[in-house]
Amino acid sequence: MKAKNYFPRLPLSILIFSGVIILLGSRAIADNAVLRSIFSCQAQGLGGLVPTIKVWFEQGTNLSFIPAGEKIKKVWLNDPSQVTLDFDGPMCMQFGQQSGNSEDCKNSSANVIQLRRIPKLSLPGVRSTQNTLLTVITEGQGQSKLYTFKVLYQDTPPEYHTLAIFADPGGASCARGSN
């Protein structure tokens, strides 16, 4: 007696089509990992680690303080030869000894910095580096915060396009414990 097959054979074209859909679907999910997020205390390095932000040639990388409810007051980039900065609102502009209007600095209202990787420029007085440090001062809920990010230059396909800073969860601590 022949055993009955409860799984009818599917045409080869349906199997191939299903495999392609699954493969493309999982690739789309991987490509859409667009958001990386950390808590404010982690981004400030209070846990003992300097956070990183990656920048690619193919796209810009946003650094968003919107979820934390903070306004950007001032930004420094140690090596501007490979990264440009743009903001989503007015920013205080200060260059060297020349300062912007102090009222402009009080009214800076950007929440997002967009970093874009550019071909390396030769800038007098700027030493060539493999990465740089981005320093950001923000203000929110009546207090100022200092953030530093190690900016890593990437030549790979982009992994994400936004690093979002979230307010610290109530009662949680990012401070590194003494072990």
Side-chain angles (χ1 to χ4, degrees):
M1 183 167 154
K2 192 173 181 181
K4 203 170 198 184
N5 185 357
Y6 290 101
F7 298 103
R9 292 191 178 150
L10 296 175
L12 184 59
S13 60
I14 291 175
L15 289 174
I16 291 172
F17 179 74
S18 299
V20 168
I21 294 298
I22 291 170
L23 180 65
L24 291 177
S26 61
R27 171 73 185 194
I29 290 169
D31 286 346
N32 286 327
V34 295
L35 181 68
R36 183 178 147 212
S37 60
I38 59 176
F39 289 116
S40 174
C41 59
Q42 295 168 320
Q44 291 176 76
L46 299 178
L49 300 173
V50 175
T52 61
I53 186 167
K54 297 178 181 180
V55 292
W56 295 269
F57 282 116
E58 293 181 27
Q59 70 179 28
T61 304
N62 300 307
L63 178 57
S64 175
F65 293 91
I66 294 172
E70 298 174 21
K71 300 284 184 196
I72 301 164
K73 292 300 176 181
K74 188 157 182 173
V75 176
W76 294 271
L77 186 61
N78 287 12
D79 177 2
S81 68
Q82 296 185 64
V83 177
T84 62
L85 301 176
D86 195 10
F87 304 90
D88 70 326
M91 280 298 299
C92 170
M93 300 308 239
Q94 296 180 315
F95 299 99
Q97 298 299 322
Q98 290 183 315
S99 294
N101 180 341
S102 62
E103 275 306 306
D104 288 344
C105 293
K106 289 179 186 174
N107 296 324
S108 290
S109 64
N111 299 98
V112 178
I113 303 169
Q114 201 224 24
L115 295 94
R116 180 113 179 135
R117 184 150 183 220
I118 59 172
K120 185 165 179 56
L121 301 172
S122 178
L123 300 174
V126 176
R127 191 173 148 210
S128 178
T129 60
Q130 295 300 315
N131 55 64
T132 189
L133 188 71
L134 173 70
T135 303
V136 181
I137 297 177
T138 66
E139 192 174 275
Q141 297 81 40
Q143 66 179 13
S144 295
K145 293 183 181 177
L146 171 68
Y147 297 91
T148 56
F149 300 89
K150 186 175 183 178
V151 179
L152 303 176
Y153 308 128
Q154 300 293 297
D155 293 321
T156 60
E159 297 168 16
Y160 58 90
H161 68 64
T162 299
L163 174 57
I165 310 302
F166 282 84
D168 297 329
S173 172
C174 284
R176 183 168 42 181
S178 55
N179 292 337

